[in-house]
Amino acid sequence: MTAHTWWLLLILTVAITALIYLINSRLRIHPFVALIVVTVGTGLAAGEPVANLTESIEEGAGGTLGDVGLTLALGAMLGRLLSDSGATDAIAHALVDRSGARRLPWMVTAAAFVIGVPMFFEVGLIVLLPLIFGVARRLEDQGGSKGSPYVLLGVPAIAALSTLHGMLPPHPGPLTAMTGLHADLGLTLAVGLVCAIPTVVVAGPVYARWIAPRLPEVRPDAALMAQFTGTGRVADSRPDGPGAQVRTNAPPRAGISVGLAVTSVLIPVALMLLRTLAETLLDESNGLRAALTFVGEPLVAMLAGFLFALGVTLVGASRPGEETRASLTDSLKSVAAILLIIGGGGAFKQVLQDSGIGDAIASAARGAHLNVIVLGWLVALLLSLTTGSATVGIVSATGIVAPLIGDGGGLEASLLVVAIGAGSLGLNYVNHAGFWLVKESFGMNLGQAAKTQTVVQTLVSVLGLLMALLLSVFV
């Protein structure tokens, strides 16, 4: 550890502190702007030549968006198509219908797990709220649950949606970490599923059974519940500050079959898994391997799922083309800010590497003998907690730990993707939009929301880390 190494580590510490301050202070700077400002300041302080600095920023932002941005946009449009066509409703109701009261939390978990593959946490929860409220109200009328039925059914949905959002491609966080760490897509999917399933079980139905009797008074506002369970549907929810504003519209939706709905969701995942099998079992010169490798690229796989969903929506749900186009355009607005944050995080990551700060981190970590999986999880946790953005936590943690695994690849890189994603979920509290969405949707006070949203996502975070560490014994 030379004096220059210590200087670079000090610069990194100041950079992270400045990032947190800019986002959380009275200035309330947008995370994208804060990332760019901190990136420029970090590069200059580290002594990177000005000409090289601008190239690093452009290369980092452009490269990250090139890998992630198009896939993310297609995922947002796929999720909107499924929601607007009634496909997600079909999946959810098919899983929940004819279930006994004791099995309902598990059925909601399964519905959230399937729906959560292409959807962000907030979007998936909004889609599931009509189902949760409708079934919970029936349980309440029948006296079929101990404690609040809304908590009993809401917690499993929160656990499943947040786990998929943080730990599994093709969600933007894991996809960004996977790209930055050069992790194998198929292996990351497999490892993510192995870590996600027990995590969802414990943080979802198991915790729900324990916490629901302790929060018997939790019940959504009657007017809000009527909006979700009546003829109207929730079109948008924008948590902002201490309250969430919910607006509705109520055009009738023609449903499509459950089989087509599930197929639309699973096509991207299936194609990505087929790519991994082809690369594992087939020769490099094999034509089938080349074809499966192409269709298993995240961009192509997501495009295939989107086109399939678009076809069944236009034909099966009989939606006008203009209405579909307007809906798709609207879906892209919700991901524009995330795309900018991802680009800013990519620029920050590149400058850390090009300025030599990444090598300094690697040197310090080797000297401290700190497990790289724990380090990635901890950095993502702290940055997500302090900035209120899981995406900022993931992209920054990826840039910090990437030098520790060299060229990446293999099981270690995939486990690190899962650990970083899990870290970004923990301690979700008042500076996270998802916290306010849960609080306001279920009519909770701050304490009740902390015992549900905050505790559930922290359980997911810790269990995800423990699963990654358990699997790391095979590295």
Side-chain angles (χ1 to χ4, degrees):
M1 292 286 287
T2 65
H4 183 62
T5 300
W6 283 110
W7 170 245
L8 292 177
L9 291 176
L10 176 62
I11 291 173
L12 175 63
T13 303
V14 172
I16 293 175
T17 303
L19 182 64
I20 294 168
Y21 174 78
L22 289 173
I23 294 174
N24 283 342
S25 69
R26 292 181 181 178
L27 298 174
R28 293 291 175 182
I29 301 295
H30 191 279
F32 166 69
V33 178
L35 278 165
I36 295 299
V37 170
V38 168
T39 296
V40 172
T42 300
L44 292 174
E48 187 174 0
V50 175
N52 294 349
L53 177 58
T54 55
E55 290 179 4
S56 293
I57 292 173
E58 292 171 1
E59 180 185 348
T64 301
L65 286 175
D67 286 326
V68 179
L70 296 177
T71 305
L72 174 56
L74 287 169
M77 290 192 289
L78 171 60
R80 177 58 66 88
L81 279 176
L82 295 176
S83 175
D84 287 352
S85 68
T88 48
D89 291 343
I91 294 171
H93 283 285
L95 288 169
V96 171
D97 283 350
R98 303 185 185 89
S99 296
R102 293 192 60 83
R103 288 190 296 167
L104 279 173
W106 297 92
M107 294 298 100
V108 170
T109 302
F113 204 93
V114 174
I115 288 171
V117 171
M119 290 190 176
F120 297 125
F121 171 82
E122 289 86 356
V123 177
L125 184 60
I126 290 170
V127 167
L128 282 170
L129 282 178
L131 172 76
I132 293 170
F133 287 174
V135 176
R137 188 167 59 183
R138 289 205 303 268
L139 281 178
E140 189 177 44
D141 293 341
Q142 298 167 0
S145 70
K146 296 179 180 178
S148 170
Y150 302 94
V151 173
L152 181 68
L153 301 181
V155 164
I158 294 169
L161 292 171
S162 60
T163 300
L164 289 170
H165 184 81
M167 292 166 56
L168 222 63
H171 283 281
L175 197 60
T176 302
M178 190 189 75
T179 301
L181 299 170
H182 307 289
D184 178 79
L185 174 62
L187 185 58
T188 304
L189 272 172
V191 167
L193 282 171
V194 170
C195 294
I197 291 173
T199 296
V200 170
V201 167
V202 175
V206 173
Y207 180 68
R209 286 288 180 192
W210 185 84
I211 192 62
R214 290 162 175 79
L215 298 174
E217 67 279 9
V218 170
R219 191 177 193 278
D221 176 76
L224 178 63
M225 199 158 48
Q227 291 175 346
F228 277 96
T229 57
T231 56
R233 66 180 181 86
V234 170
D236 191 19
S237 178
R238 302 182 184 279
D240 185 11
Q245 297 177 351
V246 180
R247 57 185 174 84
T248 64
N249 62 23
R253 293 183 296 174
I256 63 175
S257 72
V258 174
L260 291 176
V262 173
T263 302
S264 300
V265 172
L266 296 183
I267 279 177
V269 177
L271 290 177
M272 287 187 273
L273 289 176
L274 282 174
R275 173 191 174 183
T276 300
L277 289 175
E279 291 176 340
T280 303
L281 302 175
L282 300 178
D283 242 13
E284 288 188 14
S285 58
N286 190 293
L288 179 59
R289 169 174 170 156
L292 291 176
T293 299
F294 172 73
V295 299
E297 286 287 340
L299 173 62
V300 179
M302 190 61 74
L303 177 62
F306 167 74
L307 291 176
F308 183 87
L310 180 62
V312 298
T313 297
L314 292 175
V315 176
S318 303
R319 294 189 73 201
E322 280 298 321
E323 182 183 334
T324 299
R325 185 168 70 175
S327 182
L328 294 179
T329 300
D330 188 60
S331 72
L332 294 176
K333 297 176 184 177
S334 64
V335 300
I338 294 175
L339 286 172
L340 288 174
I341 294 172
I342 289 174
F348 184 48
K349 175 194 70 176
Q350 192 67 41
V351 168
L352 290 178
Q353 294 176 357
D354 293 347
S355 64
I357 293 178
D359 294 334
I361 298 166
S363 175
R366 284 192 294 268
H369 304 291
L370 190 63
N371 185 298
V372 67
I373 292 176
V374 175
L375 176 63
W377 177 85
L378 184 61
V379 171
L381 175 72
L382 293 176
L383 283 172
S384 177
L385 169 67
T386 50
T387 65
S389 170
T391 304
V392 171
I394 288 176
V395 296
S396 301
T398 299
I400 289 171
V401 302
L404 303 181
I405 61 170
D407 294 332
L411 181 59
E412 183 182 36
S414 295
L415 290 173
L416 192 51
V417 170
V418 172
I420 289 174
S424 72
L425 299 172
L427 302 177
N428 186 291
Y429 198 47
V430 293
N431 58 342
H432 286 76
F435 177 88
W436 292 105
L437 176 60
V438 171
K439 175 186 177 298
E440 296 300 318
S441 296
F442 287 88
M444 298 175 177
N445 58 38
L446 281 174
Q448 293 164 343
K451 292 174 183 177
T452 51
Q453 171 73 355
T454 305
V455 172
V456 168
Q457 295 213 189
T458 303
L459 277 174
V460 168
S461 179
V462 173
L463 290 168
L465 171 65
L466 293 177
M467 287 299 301
L469 289 174
L470 179 63
L471 292 180
S472 70
V473 301
F474 299 104
V475 175

Coordinates of all heavy atoms in Angstrom, one line a residue, residues 7 43 49 70 85 124 137 172 192 224 242 249 284 296 349 360 381 405 439 452:
W7 N -4.0 7.7 -1.4 CA -4.6 9.0 -1.9 C -5.8 8.6 -2.8 O -6.9 9.3 -2.7 CB -3.6 9.7 -2.7 CG -4.1 10.9 -3.5 CD1 -4.1 11.0 -4.9 CD2 -4.7 12.1 -3.0 NE1 -4.7 12.1 -5.3 CE2 -5.1 12.8 -4.1 CE3 -5.0 12.6 -1.7 CZ2 -5.7 14.1 -4.0 CZ3 -5.7 13.8 -1.6 CH2 -6.0 14.5 -2.8
G43 N -12.4 11.9 -11.6 CA -11.3 11.7 -12.6 C -10.3 12.8 -12.5 O -9.0 12.5 -12.6
P49 N -5.9 12.4 -17.3 CA -5.8 13.5 -18.3 C -7.2 13.9 -18.8 O -8.1 13.1 -18.9 CB -5.0 12.9 -19.4 CG -4.2 11.9 -18.8 CD -5.0 11.3 -17.7
L70 N -31.3 -1.1 -24.4 CA -32.3 -1.6 -25.3 C -33.1 -2.8 -24.7 O -34.3 -2.9 -24.8 CB -31.6 -2.1 -26.6 CG -30.9 -1.0 -27.4 CD1 -30.2 -1.6 -28.6 CD2 -31.9 0.1 -27.8
S85 N -53.2 -6.0 -21.6 CA -54.0 -7.0 -22.3 C -54.8 -7.9 -21.3 O -55.6 -8.7 -21.7 CB -53.1 -7.9 -23.1 OG -52.3 -8.7 -22.3
G124 N -45.0 -4.4 -11.0 CA -45.6 -5.7 -10.6 C -46.5 -5.6 -9.4 O -47.6 -6.3 -9.4
R137 N -60.1 -9.3 0.9 CA -61.4 -8.9 1.3 C -62.3 -10.1 1.5 O -63.1 -10.1 2.5 CB -62.0 -7.9 0.3 CG -63.3 -7.2 0.9 CD -63.7 -6.0 0.0 NE -63.9 -6.4 -1.4 CZ -64.2 -5.5 -2.4 NH1 -64.3 -4.2 -2.1 NH2 -64.4 -5.9 -3.6
P172 N -32.8 -4.7 -14.8 CA -31.7 -3.8 -15.2 C -30.5 -3.9 -14.2 O -29.4 -3.8 -14.6 CB -32.3 -2.4 -15.2 CG -33.6 -2.5 -14.4 CD -34.1 -3.9 -14.7
G192 N -28.9 -17.4 -9.8 CA -30.0 -16.5 -9.3 C -31.2 -17.2 -8.9 O -31.8 -16.9 -7.8
L224 N -59.6 3.7 -1.9 CA -58.5 3.2 -2.7 C -58.8 1.7 -3.1 O -58.6 1.3 -4.3 CB -57.2 3.3 -2.0 CG -56.0 2.8 -2.7 CD1 -55.7 3.6 -4.0 CD2 -54.8 2.8 -1.8
P242 N -43.9 12.0 1.0 CA -44.6 11.3 2.0 C -45.9 10.6 1.6 O -46.6 10.1 2.4 CB -44.9 12.3 3.1 CG -45.0 13.6 2.3 CD -44.0 13.5 1.2
N249 N -57.9 4.6 -14.6 CA -58.7 4.6 -15.8 C -59.4 3.3 -15.9 O -59.0 2.3 -15.4 CB -58.0 5.1 -17.1 CG -56.9 4.1 -17.4 OD1 -57.0 2.9 -17.1 ND2 -55.9 4.5 -18.2
E284 N -18.0 -25.5 -30.8 CA -18.0 -24.1 -31.3 C -18.3 -24.0 -32.8 O -18.9 -23.0 -33.2 CB -16.6 -23.4 -31.0 CG -16.4 -23.2 -29.5 CD -15.1 -22.3 -29.3 OE1 -14.6 -21.8 -30.3 OE2 -14.7 -22.2 -28.2
G296 N -30.2 -16.3 -27.8 CA -30.1 -16.3 -26.4 C -29.5 -15.0 -25.9 O -29.4 -14.8 -24.7
K349 N -18.1 4.0 -13.2 CA -17.4 2.8 -13.1 C -16.2 2.9 -14.0 O -15.1 2.5 -13.6 CB -18.3 1.6 -13.6 CG -17.6 0.3 -13.7 CD -18.4 -0.7 -14.5 CE -18.5 -0.3 -15.9 NZ -19.2 -1.3 -16.7
A360 N -6.4 0.4 -6.9 CA -6.2 0.7 -5.5 C -7.1 0.0 -4.6 O -6.7 -0.5 -3.5 CB -6.3 2.2 -5.3
L381 N -25.4 -2.3 -0.5 CA -26.3 -2.0 0.6 C -26.2 -0.6 1.1 O -27.2 0.1 1.3 CB -26.0 -3.0 1.8 CG -26.8 -2.8 3.1 CD1 -28.3 -3.1 2.8 CD2 -26.3 -3.6 4.2
I405 N -11.9 -9.3 -9.5 CA -12.1 -10.6 -10.1 C -11.5 -10.7 -11.5 O -11.8 -11.6 -12.3 CB -13.6 -11.0 -10.1 CG1 -14.4 -10.0 -11.0 CG2 -14.1 -11.2 -8.7 CD1 -15.8 -10.6 -11.2
K439 N -46.5 1.5 1.7 CA -47.2 2.2 2.8 C -48.5 2.8 2.4 O -49.5 2.5 3.1 CB -46.3 3.3 3.3 CG -46.9 4.1 4.5 CD -46.0 5.3 4.8 CE -46.7 6.2 5.9 NZ -48.0 6.8 5.5
T452 N -43.0 -4.4 7.4 CA -43.4 -5.2 6.2 C -42.3 -4.9 5.1 O -41.4 -5.7 4.9 CB -44.8 -4.9 5.7 OG1 -44.9 -3.4 5.6 CG2 -45.8 -5.4 6.6

